[in-house]
Amino acid sequence: MEAFNPTYDYACELDRQDDLASFKDEFYKKKGTIYLDGNSLGLLSKRAESSLLSLLDSWKQYGIDGWTEGEHPWFYLSEKLGGLLAPLVGASSEEVVVTGSTTVNLHQLVSTFYNPEGKRTKILADELTFPTDIYALQSQVKLKGYDPADHLVQVKSRDGRMINEEDIIHAMTDDIALIVLPSVLYRSGQILDMARLTEEAHKRGILIGFDLCHSIGSIPHHFNEWDVDFAFWCNYKYLNAGPGGVAGLYVNKKHFSRTPGLTGWFSSQKDKQFDMDHELTPAEDAGAYQMGTPHVLSVAPLIGSLEMFAEAGIDRLRKKSLHITRYMMELVISELEGMGFTIGNPLEDHKRGGHIYLEHPEAARICKALKENGVIPDFRTPNGIRLAPIALYNTYEEVWMAVGILKTIMKEEQYKKFKNERDVVA
Ligand SMILES: *Cc1c(COP(=O)(O)O)cnc(C)c1O
């Protein structure tokens, strides 16, 4: 690829060279808008729509027999989709299942893997993670009879953007029982080195799990190699499975002998479930981490969506994502100089997730002005603008136009007509 240049023609040339370009036509993209918020809620694709309609139809056609009949029998769907997700985390099929929500799965996994014993009684997290993770960890600590004020340790950030891996390792003391960290930080988009952190945790006899909400479908994972103990994520961000779409979890097969902390009849071995025995025989794989009846209609869009990930391949998606985020940063540097923006995401490829994070004191109202101009970003308190050019459906031309619109907003001070405060949903 030639050297960066800020012209429109160069953006169009990059689109011509994009071997993933055909996928964008499979998505519902609103005319006149540039959607750069696929890291919060991915767009609907035609294939996801069609798998949702197909499952609706199986209900229409089969009634109760839909559990075992039709193209996607509901009884086996959570495990089947787990198998399709497994390549995205670098795990074996039986280590992944589609169930619950991010927050529910975090509760499930911590209730299984947090076993305070002797001196090891604390959980280690970080101070920049998403709030639901902290709320869930606080309640798990309380359920074990401890006070989160001293039993939930949060590694501090040196600059308010990143978490230094050395600081995490330094905090792996002999009173830590369990570590839960994000794979990619939701604001700055920093990737934590999961392989290294897992190795360091295991050296010290600590179990470790990751929240993959901002990495699943965006960057490759190699959990079999890295030996991560567990992970959980939502499927509605980069994986485009729809608002409230059913989430995923991974459990390392070396832990299959454990009984999940929270069980229900769907934790059962499949062929035993309808024996209706009061003694549970848990499934011998990640399926055991389910509790109740799967949310079949909310899982349905994922079927169609994952077909596209299998075709595109996560390595190709990552390659484009790195290239288009770098392109966006280069445009920001060349076009928005002197306008008060700071690039808050890591610049290095191996540390940068799928979005760009611009900091600006007027961020909240700049986001409102962007929306008024048809560019959809999201605002993250206190001063962040997240912009996610998604490899499957965003183009270089859109990135070029979005940065151009941002430049006009700043030059004309269009943002000044809005209040600098966030909306109810940001
Ligand atoms: C989006 C996100 C969540 C969302 O949790 P839900 O249970 O799906 O509402 C949790 N953690 C992180 C890091 C996220 O980015």
Side-chain angles (χ1 to χ4, degrees):
M1 205 101 39
E2 350 154 16
F4 168 78
N5 102 44
T7 62
Y8 180 68
D9 285 351
Y10 180 66
C12 297
E13 178 54 32
L14 293 178
D15 280 324
R16 275 191 293 276
Q17 291 173 14
D18 175 9
D19 61 359
L20 295 170
S22 63
F23 285 103
K24 69 174 183 305
D25 301 325
E26 302 205 42
F27 285 85
Y28 288 99
K29 296 178 73 175
K30 201 166 149 194
K31 267 222 151 36
T33 42
I34 299 174
Y35 193 79
L36 295 176
D37 204 12
N39 61 330
S40 263
L41 180 70
L43 289 179
L44 174 64
S45 64
K46 291 171 189 168
R47 289 202 235 187
E49 177 183 51
S50 121
S51 58
L52 172 58
L53 292 176
S54 146
L55 282 219
L56 201 55
D57 191 62
S58 68
W59 177 24
K60 198 193 279 177
Q61 296 286 330
Y62 301 106
I64 189 77
D65 289 333
W67 287 105
T68 49
E69 311 246 332
E71 196 188 344
H72 303 291
W74 313 329
F75 193 56
Y76 304 99
L77 195 51
S78 311
E79 290 82 0
K80 182 175 155 185
L81 281 166
L84 297 175
L85 271 170
L88 296 180
V89 292
S92 319
S93 302
E94 73 274 16
E95 293 174 307
V96 182
V97 69
V98 169
T99 187
S101 68
T102 313
T103 311
V104 166
N105 293 348
L106 170 56
H107 273 294
Q108 166 67 299
L109 291 160
V110 174
S111 78
T112 310
F113 288 94
Y114 176 42
N115 298 300
E117 235 188 298
K119 219 181 147 200
R120 276 191 200 283
T121 52
K122 297 182 181 173
I123 297 182
L124 182 63
D126 70 282
E127 71 163 359
L128 295 182
T129 198
F130 198 84
T132 203
D133 296 51
I134 294 301
Y135 304 158
L137 295 175
Q138 286 168 339
S139 46
Q140 289 294 329
V141 165
K142 281 191 224 160
L143 282 169
K144 292 285 197 309
Y146 298 107
D147 181 357
D150 51 55
H151 270 67
L152 177 59
V153 180
Q154 288 181 259
V155 178
K156 294 233 175 308
S157 164
R158 299 182 191 186
D159 61 0
R161 297 182 183 123
M162 322 278 177
I163 299 286
N164 192 303
E165 277 120 0
E166 300 300 330
D167 296 343
I168 301 175
I169 294 165
H170 186 72
M172 294 180 184
T173 44
D174 59 8
D175 50 356
I176 301 293
L178 180 72
I179 304 174
V180 180
L181 293 167
S183 50
V184 168
L185 272 61
Y186 76 101
R187 270 193 289 236
S188 68
Q190 177 198 358
I191 301 178
L192 290 177
D193 185 341
M194 290 174 264
R196 178 171 177 220
L197 293 170
T198 302
E199 192 185 342
E200 295 294 337
H202 288 171
K203 266 192 216 160
R204 294 163 177 78
I206 308 171
L207 295 174
I208 185 164
F210 291 95
D211 178 333
L212 310 185
C213 281
H214 277 277
S215 65
I216 189 86
S218 167
I219 68 174
H221 307 75
H222 302 285
F223 281 178
N224 276 351
E225 247 171 69
W226 303 343
D227 203 28
V228 168
D229 294 294
F230 63 87
F232 53 96
W233 58 87
C234 59
N235 289 321
Y236 54 74
K237 290 174 178 162
Y238 289 93
L239 289 179
N240 313 316
V246 181
L249 64 80
Y250 153 88
V251 176
N252 188 318
K253 57 166 100 61
K254 72 184 178 192
H255 296 303
F256 283 173
S257 58
R258 289 175 189 243
T259 300
L262 306 171
T263 48
W265 73 314
F266 267 80
S267 315
S268 176
Q269 273 182 26
K270 287 266 177 258
D271 54 348
K272 294 248 162 55
Q273 183 169 339
F274 279 84
D275 289 349
M276 299 305 205
D277 213 335
H278 277 191
E279 196 174 324
L280 171 69
T281 311
E284 286 164 344
D285 55 24
Y289 288 74
Q290 300 171 86
M291 288 179 261
T293 305
H295 301 175
V296 173
L297 297 181
S298 293
V299 91
L302 186 62
I303 303 171
S305 183
L306 284 180
E307 280 175 25
M308 277 184 274
F309 282 83
E311 286 168 27
I314 191 65
D315 292 323
R316 276 207 299 166
L317 290 165
R318 174 63 171 159
K319 188 164 169 241
K320 174 173 172 190
S321 167
L322 279 173
H323 190 263
I324 199 168
T325 48
R326 167 140 331 267
Y327 173 69
M328 183 178 252
M329 290 191 292
E330 282 169 337
L331 273 178
V332 165
I333 292 164
S334 92
E335 301 304 297
L336 306 179
E337 214 206 299
M339 292 179 170
F341 290 100
T342 307
I343 296 180
N345 54 271
L347 305 179
E348 310 95 306
D349 282 4
H350 71 284
K351 287 195 176 166
R352 186 170 79 252
H355 69 266
I356 295 304
Y357 187 65
L358 296 183
E359 295 169 343
H360 195 287
E362 308 284 355
R365 51 182 175 169
I366 293 171
C367 283
K368 290 178 193 172
L370 279 168
K371 275 198 158 170
E372 194 188 52
N373 282 276
V375 178
I376 317 297
D378 69 18
F379 168 68
R380 281 294 169 265
T381 189
N383 64 342
I385 303 171
R386 290 194 309 190
L387 300 168
I390 303 296
L392 268 181
Y393 53 77
N394 285 121
T395 64
Y396 291 84
E397 183 189 17
E398 286 178 317
V399 170
W400 186 88
M401 295 200 308
V403 175
I405 289 168
L406 185 50
K407 185 176 179 178
T408 306
I409 289 170
M410 300 313 292
K411 276 216 299 228
E412 297 178 358
E413 302 190 332
Q414 287 182 28
Y415 58 88
K416 288 202 168 157
K417 67 179 185 204
F418 301 98
K419 280 203 182 129
N420 198 31
E421 55 190 39
R422 69 165 170 77
D423 296 328
V424 178
V425 175

